[in-house]
Amino acid sequence: MTTKFTARGITAILLPLAGLTGLAGAVQAEEWAPTRSIEFIAPANPGGGWDTLVRTTSRVIQSEGLADQNFAAINVPGGGGAVAWAQIANDSGNPHKLFATSPPIILVPLAGTSRYDHTHFTPIARLITDYSIVLVQADSDYQDLNDLFEAMRERPSMSVGGGSAPGSMDHISIAGVASAAGLEASGVNYIAFSGGGEAMTNLMGGHVEAVITGAGEAAGQLGPESDIRALGVSSPERLGGPLAEIATYQEQGIDYTFDIWRGVMGTPDMPAEAVAYYEDLFARMLETDDWQEARDQLGWIDAYQSSEEFGDFLDAQKEEFSGVLTELGLIR
């Protein structure tokens, strides 16, 4: 049996093939990779949760050879994140700028201290869950959270420091656990510093009685020879690694937990192909040995969400936090 190809038949075959070639070209044209160093911004001073996330992820990406371009960690402190967000908002469409994010991207605008919230930026990926931890000086008389809250009842002016703005993450976290322990949440004398590192410096200098911060950023500073000691952690169960000996709030009879999700966002209107590149990059990073070792040391829990999932999550968080802040009398 023979097959005869006419000119019309050959054309009929070649046209679909040309269409496929054109489609492949379009897909290839949509592929994107950074052409210069990525500015990876921590919207606070060194030593806090954003800074820890930025520097840890940048180091793992480099050590694992996941990207051809360098991720340059940059600290832009001020306003509980508001100073950095204002700068980033003015760089619309830049695919070479990212920033670390967590609940303050929602809480600070709700409290009225930033005109920019999560809706002004491009969600890239949620990466991990961290938890709050309450710290005191190593020689403090307070042995657990109940001791601390009893002292706060007797001396309402007693100060508790944190690395986020008034009405933001650390404030709402300590106000929430104090309320669960029977205190007036709005009466907690919260002192805001420009990051967890500065808050701990003030704790060690005796300028505040206690500090609430992220467990991950405190993990490396705790130990038998440390100048600070932990009274409790906001996780539902004990964490691993260097935080394994720290009792949860619930173990101390205080029915309260607080999650600190952390992730990455980009500039407004970041091109979709750049978003796809970073989504894939961070997903691959979470699978590496270097990341898993660092994550376990910091007491973090992987909680990856894609750009779309993260965006939906942020919208839901805004609704939830609006109610909580109103309840606690912290919303303006």
Side-chain angles (χ1 to χ4, degrees):
M1 181 178 175
T2 61
T3 304
K4 185 176 179 181
F5 289 97
T6 64
R8 182 177 295 176
I10 292 172
T11 303
I13 293 170
L14 291 179
L15 282 174
L17 290 176
L20 289 173
T21 304
L23 179 61
V27 170
Q28 189 172 7
E30 288 178 3
E31 289 179 358
W32 181 90
T35 56
R36 62 177 188 268
S37 290
I38 294 94
E39 296 177 69
F40 199 0
I41 294 170
N45 280 319
W50 286 329
D51 182 69
T52 303
L53 185 73
V54 164
R55 294 181 188 279
T56 302
T57 53
S58 297
R59 178 183 58 77
V60 171
I61 288 168
Q62 183 173 6
S63 67
E64 293 283 350
L66 298 177
D68 293 333
Q69 298 293 336
N70 181 49
F71 280 63
I74 300 171
N75 294 91
V76 182
V83 172
W85 302 331
Q87 291 182 13
I88 297 162
N90 288 324
D91 204 5
S92 183
N94 183 353
H96 294 89
K97 182 174 286 187
L98 304 173
F99 66 98
T101 191
S102 61
I105 191 68
I106 297 169
L107 292 165
V108 171
L110 282 174
T113 51
S114 172
R115 58 177 289 199
Y116 299 104
D117 68 7
H118 72 282
T119 62
H120 291 93
F121 304 102
T122 304
I124 300 296
R126 188 177 79 168
L127 299 181
I128 57 105
T129 293
D130 194 3
Y131 296 97
S132 293
I133 193 167
V134 179
L135 306 168
V136 293
Q137 290 187 355
D139 59 359
S140 170
D141 291 336
Y142 311 127
Q143 297 304 308
D144 59 24
L145 280 174
N146 291 300
D147 286 348
L148 178 68
F149 290 137
E150 186 57 39
M152 290 171 69
R153 280 190 190 91
E154 295 174 4
R155 190 159 48 99
S157 62
M158 196 176 88
S159 57
V160 178
S164 62
S168 189
M169 182 175 65
D170 291 338
H171 190 183
I172 196 173
S173 183
I174 190 65
V177 67
S179 177
L183 281 73
E184 282 291 328
S186 58
V188 173
N189 184 21
Y190 175 78
I191 307 297
F193 296 100
S194 62
E198 186 184 356
M200 282 193 266
T201 298
N202 277 271
L203 173 64
M204 290 185 280
H207 304 297
V208 291
E209 292 276 345
V211 154
I212 186 157
T213 189
E217 62 202 81
Q221 301 183 54
L222 294 167
E225 307 301 318
S226 176
D227 293 328
I228 57 175
R229 177 165 49 83
L231 298 185
V233 65
S234 69
S235 54
E237 299 174 354
R238 288 205 184 194
L239 301 174
L243 305 172
E245 299 302 313
I246 302 167
T248 66
Y249 298 168
Q250 291 180 327
E251 285 180 274
Q252 300 177 61
I254 303 169
D255 189 16
Y256 184 79
T257 60
F258 190 83
D259 295 358
I260 306 173
W261 50 264
R262 298 193 195 278
V264 180
M265 298 190 81
T267 56
D269 299 319
M270 181 178 279
E273 58 269 26
V275 175
Y277 171 87
Y278 290 122
E279 272 183 314
D280 176 67
L281 175 69
F282 286 113
R284 287 186 291 118
M285 182 200 72
L286 294 184
E287 298 299 319
T288 65
D289 291 340
D290 277 4
W291 169 261
Q292 290 165 18
E293 183 179 343
R295 173 204 64 198
D296 292 345
Q297 277 295 110
L298 292 164
W300 291 343
I301 296 169
D302 286 344
Y304 181 83
Q305 286 181 323
S306 67
S307 174
E308 184 177 354
E309 292 167 334
F310 191 25
D312 292 341
F313 170 79
L314 291 169
D315 291 340
Q317 284 278 285
K318 182 174 181 177
E319 269 191 52
E320 182 181 332
F321 282 142
S322 295
V324 172
L325 283 170
T326 301
E327 251 179 65
L328 295 177
L330 298 173
I331 199 167
R332 294 179 184 178

